[in-house]
Amino acid sequence: MSDDVLQRIRELLTQEGVPFREIPHVPTHTSEESARVRGEALAVGAKALLIKTDDLFRLFVLPADRQIDAKKIKQELRVRSIRFASGDELSALTGLVPGSVPPFGEPVLAFELYGDAAIGMVEDKVAFNAGSLTVSIMMKASDWKAVAKPKQFAFSKSEAC
């Protein structure tokens, strides 16, 4: 399914007239590895996490140098519990492996999409693995927001917290 996801991303960005750069690289499993092979700051990475909120899976995207603030998500969405999707759930729901999930809901992935307010704050640029551990896409953060149309609120905190 990963080739299908990459193709859907290419088609969406091309259809919307959004410039992007595709970067082939060695397999990367973490945000840190991805940033290193792309030659970009960790903050440029758009980390996409599939999270179960009560009974519903949703996709949350945040800068790769930050972490989820569960309390903020619970308050904003008025849910009682949140947890990360397991590897098996991720595979069953997306056909993807951890580290390859791109920051897109419909029409790329069938999930409600949320974008953290900190995306694009350091630089108007995002980079992400595009349905594969060996292909990244780099584009303007403002273009990502315009095309992906995430619901936005502040749900991250710095890694040091």
Side-chain angles (χ1 to χ4, degrees):
M1 180 169 184
S2 63
D3 287 342
D4 186 39
V5 169
L6 175 57
Q7 189 56 36
R8 285 195 301 251
I9 295 169
R10 287 176 181 141
E11 289 171 3
L12 176 63
L13 297 178
T14 301
Q15 175 185 333
E16 295 292 326
V18 172
F20 65 95
R21 186 166 53 105
E22 216 169 290
I23 306 165
H25 52 74
V26 298
T28 57
H29 299 274
T30 67
S31 296
E32 292 80 9
E33 289 174 357
S34 295
R36 196 168 28 261
V37 301
R38 293 179 198 133
E40 293 291 336
L42 186 58
V44 170
K47 181 166 55 176
L49 302 171
L50 188 61
I51 295 178
K52 190 170 188 180
T53 57
D54 286 344
D55 295 325
L56 181 64
F57 283 99
R58 295 175 166 140
L59 196 59
F60 291 83
V61 182
L62 63 157
D65 66 338
R66 299 181 65 83
Q67 62 187 11
I68 290 287
D69 186 330
K71 184 178 178 182
K72 288 181 180 177
I73 292 173
K74 286 178 181 179
Q75 287 173 340
E76 178 74 19
L77 300 181
R78 295 186 170 99
V79 296
R80 295 182 59 151
S81 67
I82 75 165
R83 67 169 177 81
F84 295 104
S86 69
D88 289 342
E89 288 169 328
L90 182 66
S91 178
L93 294 167
T94 67
L96 300 172
V97 297
S100 70
V101 179
F104 289 92
E106 291 287 353
V108 177
L109 295 173
F111 301 103
E112 201 172 346
L113 181 67
Y114 293 85
D116 185 67
I119 293 173
M121 294 290 275
V122 174
E123 253 185 282
D124 185 22
K125 189 183 335 183
V126 291
F128 52 88
N129 281 358
S132 166
L133 296 175
T134 60
V135 178
S136 289
I137 287 182
M138 177 90 61
M139 61 188 292
K140 286 185 173 183
S142 53
D143 286 342
W144 172 77
K145 290 174 187 177
V147 172
K149 298 176 179 63
K151 295 175 183 173
Q152 291 188 275
F153 69 99
F155 58 80
S156 73
K157 58 187 175 183
S158 93
E159 292 280 347
C161 290

